[in-house]
Amino acid sequence: MLTRLFPVTLARAARSGYGQQPAAPPADNLAAFRAQFGSAPIQAQKLSDTITMLSGPGGSVVVLDGPDGKVVVDTFVAPAWSRLKQTLAGLGKAPVKFVIDTHWHFDHTDNNHALHAGGATVLAHENTKQRMSQPQHLAVLDLKVPPSPAAALPQLTFKDQYKVAVNGEAVALVHVPPAHTDTDVYVHFQNANVLHTGDVFFNGGYPYIDGSTGGRISGMIAGAERILAVADNQTKIVCGHGLLGNKADLARFRDMLSTAHDRVQKLKSAGKSMPAAVAAKPFADLEPIWGKGLFNGDTFVQIVYLTL
């Protein structure tokens, strides 16, 4: 998908179905990104009697349904709103009580305002509100993101941890120190043994790490370690982007990040420029497994180099 939005050296297609889109980069990258993500169908997967994972238009959404009201973790991109609204209605009659943002990025927060207008309280880390309140520029992707409208900002924020008891479920929100961004939280549905990691985990592909808002490759590794300590072999792990995973999938991701960190750090410490580091092809052996997602190895070298 991203090859249609950005220079071909920066990203590769996530889905072959996007191959029919015009090849010329659009003038408004952000609008095009939203449109492309928003065109993906919403797919539902039951994780328990009360918890459903939705995937498609901008990452993964988790919905807890019950008589106390729905809890929705992340909200897709804006063009998917009508379909998200219809899908949520199909999961049960209860209104949305809480929206939880795993981090500030627009593909996870775009529909905050619509759900808040329907009566939901938006809950997030305190840095998420700060980042959404300001203009941002996402390095490598060259996306300029304006401040979010006031109605989209979280109404309830926390610093380290926050717990919600709803629909017979204990929902724990835990801040992850700067990893994908400085706004990350993981959401643990403790009774159901379901974890939503946000973008601290990309299952099966290289991740984006947003150094412009505090993201660090070392923080991604530490964040994966922290989540691994909470999970067991039966935990269903919902990543920000990718298929439903488990503890073994997250461990493989952590190992890949550690390898990537060490290889690029060695090049950077030796005085290699970022183009020279890319030209060295340090991820050539990783590419067959990890280069099939949103980014190829050349792009991920740039991402790691900028977040060391």
Side-chain angles (χ1 to χ4, degrees), residues 44-126:
Q45 182 175 354
K46 292 287 286 185
L47 304 185
S48 75
D49 290 342
T50 58
I51 297 177
T52 303
M53 171 183 166
L54 306 178
S55 57
S60 303
V61 168
V62 167
V63 183
L64 168 67
D65 184 48
D68 297 333
K70 293 183 179 72
V71 177
V72 178
V73 183
D74 289 347
T75 68
F76 290 146
V77 291
W81 166 241
S82 62
R83 287 177 292 128
L84 175 59
K85 181 180 180 181
Q86 182 179 13
T87 302
L88 291 175
L91 294 177
K93 295 181 180 180
V96 178
K97 183 181 178 97
F98 289 109
V99 170
I100 299 171
D101 295 333
T102 61
H103 62 291
W104 79 266
H105 283 158
F106 66 90
D107 52 324
H108 299 259
T109 62
D110 253 2
N111 291 305
N112 280 8
H113 69 287
L115 289 164
H116 176 55
T121 297
V122 181
L123 174 59
H125 187 262
E126 60 189 13

Side-chain angles (χ1 to χ4, degrees), residues 43 65 70 128 134 187 198 205-206 257 306:
Q43 298 177 322
D65 184 48
K70 293 183 179 72
T128 294
Q134 303 166 350
V187 183
Y206 299 122
L257 292 176
L306 293 171

Side-chain angles (χ1 to χ4, degrees), residues 225-259:
E225 292 280 8
R226 186 168 184 172
I227 297 169
L228 283 168
V230 176
D232 60 36
N233 291 335
Q234 283 70 51
T235 305
K236 295 175 182 177
I237 302 180
V238 178
C239 60
H241 298 270
L243 300 175
L244 180 68
N246 55 33
K247 189 170 184 177
D249 294 325
L250 181 55
R252 282 190 288 270
F253 179 73
R254 182 269 323 272
D255 292 345
M256 179 275 292
L257 292 176
S258 296
T259 298

